[in-house]
Amino acid sequence: MAQQDQASSGVPLLDVNRDNAPHREEFIEALTEVLDSGRFLFGPDVTELEAELAGYCQVPNVVGCASGSDALLLSLMALNIGPGDEVIVPSFTFFASVSCITRLGATPVFADICPETFNVDPASIESLITGKTKAIIPVHLFGQCAQIDRICQIAAGHDIPVVEDAAQAIGAAYNSRPAGSWGTVGCFSFYPTKNLGGMGDGGMMTSNDAAFADRLRLFAGHGMRPRYYHKVVGINSRLDTFQAAVLRVKLRHLGEAIEGRSTVAARYDRLLTENGMVDNGQITLPVRDPNAFHVWNQYAIRVADGRRDDLRSYLAERKIGSEIYYPIPMHQQECFEGMEFRHNGLAETERASQEVLNLPVFPSLTEAEQLRVIDAIASFYSASAKVAA
């Protein structure tokens, strides 16, 4: 009966409750301390979390904020990005990577991606730089860093600041240097589905420049310093103490969570290969950049021959979670219709949006659950072969 119940329950895309459950008592203790203190904003947990994350990300300055989206927006505000400015960004990304540009009246310039990693192509970035380029936003997608060393080298040659969108990449590294420590500023999200996820919204910004970090903090607090004296027009973007307390607990376990995700990813690689779906070209596995340390916020396969949507429907019928990150690239979004923006071709971006399928990946995903995912994918192709015959 237990096996039948487990089979009928399906395989979730992720299971936040299951991953959080082992740390329940730690959460309760931490939250109780905040409740008893009454310091729901600017509490000691916020300052301590910033210090702990500075050590983790190997940067001297960390500024908490209300979300990863705000982190991106605040970064561009602090860089004085505005009308007439261009910001180079991939189109194959989440909306926040681009909306931060348009909200300030600036113009996104869309770079194409590398087909192997889905990350922005440095050569595409370089080809798009003009005198109007005021920032570059490389996105470390799915938990793997873009070629950030080369991107920063290109940017430095043109004196252009780099804003790392590391929302999906805390703990990731390139050439052993952590995400968020390369550019002018690194932007992180603590949305519950992230590898370091809170119990609500939250974000942070990292910087090697103390003066710039202070500017970020100023913009995040209504531009107010001292109280009721406003130096700049900022926004209200605070990381609350409850979220900081939760995140401090989860930060203590982040290493084992990343290890769990890496185990899941390696098992997918092995099982999909053993089932022959890779060799016959039906599925392409995620590619690991040999210079990158991947933290597997997502496990993204490519599905060939226009069959991605059919496969996803087939999995859904069998209660197996999956997701498409991202079905419509930013340059094709309805909200940006009529906007004039430049690019030098986005063929790989558009191909990825038609082929990428993200499979369940989270630390507590079991081998039995993964086998169900693999069996369902194999069954999809087997049934199709029979129909074709």
Side-chain angles (χ1 to χ4, degrees):
M1 180 65 71
Q3 290 180 340
Q4 290 178 350
D5 290 343
Q6 184 181 22
S8 63
S9 65
V11 180
L13 179 67
L14 73 162
D15 192 332
V16 171
N17 285 342
R18 196 198 303 179
D19 287 335
N20 282 339
H23 316 305
R24 178 182 174 84
E25 294 307 314
E26 291 178 87
F27 291 138
I28 291 173
E29 180 181 355
L31 292 169
T32 300
E33 288 183 8
V34 177
L35 179 64
D36 291 344
S37 76
R39 298 184 64 181
F40 307 134
L41 294 170
F42 307 113
D45 278 301
V46 176
T47 303
E48 290 169 12
L49 176 67
E50 289 177 347
E52 290 163 1
L53 286 167
Y56 186 81
C57 295
Q58 298 178 27
V59 291
N61 307 287
V62 168
V63 179
C65 61
S67 69
S69 299
D70 276 7
L72 289 162
L73 180 63
L74 286 162
S75 297
L76 295 191
M77 292 174 72
L79 289 168
N80 293 320
I81 301 298
D85 296 336
E86 293 184 344
V87 179
I88 299 175
V89 65
S91 179
F92 192 67
T93 185
F94 180 63
F95 179 72
S97 309
V98 179
S99 64
C100 62
I101 303 167
T102 59
R103 284 181 183 279
L104 297 178
T107 303
V109 174
F110 291 116
D112 208 0
I113 59 171
C114 300
E116 299 84 9
T117 64
F118 307 110
N119 275 320
V120 65
D121 184 349
S124 181
I125 289 174
E126 189 167 27
S127 72
L128 292 164
I129 292 174
T130 70
K132 293 183 177 181
T133 306
K134 301 304 179 184
I136 299 169
I137 304 179
V139 180
H140 301 316
L141 202 65
F142 300 153
Q144 179 168 222
C145 287
Q147 297 173 51
I148 190 65
D149 56 348
R150 186 176 170 199
I151 292 169
C152 286
Q153 184 180 34
I154 291 168
H158 296 271
D159 196 25
I160 298 170
V162 172
V163 177
E164 291 180 71
D165 184 342
Q168 301 179 5
I170 191 161
Y174 203 80
N175 289 329
S176 300
R177 182 172 167 181
S181 70
W182 289 82
T184 305
V185 56
C187 300
F188 293 82
S189 169
F190 300 135
Y191 188 74
T193 62
K194 299 298 192 290
N195 288 17
L196 182 61
M199 295 182 182
D201 278 315
M204 75 167 182
M205 298 163 286
T206 56
S207 181
N208 291 303
D209 184 329
F212 189 76
D214 184 66
R215 186 168 167 80
L216 291 169
R217 199 177 293 278
L218 177 67
F219 271 92
H222 286 301
M224 183 171 61
R225 190 183 293 165
R227 193 167 180 82
Y228 304 126
Y229 290 78
H230 299 267
K231 297 181 181 297
V232 296
V233 179
I235 62 175
N236 176 30
S237 184
R238 295 180 288 230
L239 179 65
D240 69 71
T241 314
F242 279 118
Q243 293 304 328
V246 166
L247 291 165
R248 290 189 68 206
V249 171
K250 296 196 75 172
L251 181 59
R252 294 198 291 266
H253 304 285
L254 181 56
E256 62 193 76
I258 291 173
E259 185 177 347
R261 288 175 175 271
S262 298
T263 297
V264 168
R267 190 181 294 139
Y268 270 134
D269 287 353
R270 175 174 59 82
L271 293 173
L272 287 166
T273 301
E274 288 176 354
N275 275 270
M277 288 175 279
V278 176
D279 290 341
N280 62 21
Q282 294 166 326
I283 284 173
T284 302
L285 300 179
V287 175
R288 297 162 176 78
D289 183 328
N291 297 310
F293 175 68
H294 203 318
V295 295
W296 301 104
N297 186 242
Q298 300 295 337
Y299 185 90
I301 62 172
R302 282 185 184 267
V303 182
D305 303 323
R307 309 204 61 195
R308 189 268 312 278
D309 293 350
D310 289 340
L311 174 56
R312 189 181 184 215
S313 296
Y314 189 88
L315 294 176
E317 290 169 2
R318 285 147 186 82
K319 300 181 180 179
I320 294 173
S322 65
E323 187 55 272
I324 300 170
Y325 303 105
Y326 300 93
I328 303 176
M330 288 301 107
H331 70 283
Q332 295 177 344
Q333 292 286 342
E334 180 180 352
C335 62
F336 297 135
E337 282 184 7
M339 178 179 291
E340 294 186 7
F341 48 75
R342 294 188 298 111
H343 63 80
N344 283 348
L346 296 167
E348 293 299 341
T349 292
E350 293 177 6
R351 185 165 75 93
S353 71
Q354 297 298 313
E355 295 182 351
V356 166
L357 184 66
N358 303 81
L359 301 181
V361 57
F362 52 94
S364 59
L365 186 69
T366 66
E367 183 171 1
E369 288 174 317
Q370 281 191 271
L371 286 169
R372 288 185 57 198
V373 176
I374 301 301
D375 288 347
I377 296 173
S379 176
F380 169 79
Y381 284 108
S382 176
S384 300
K386 289 179 181 178
V387 170

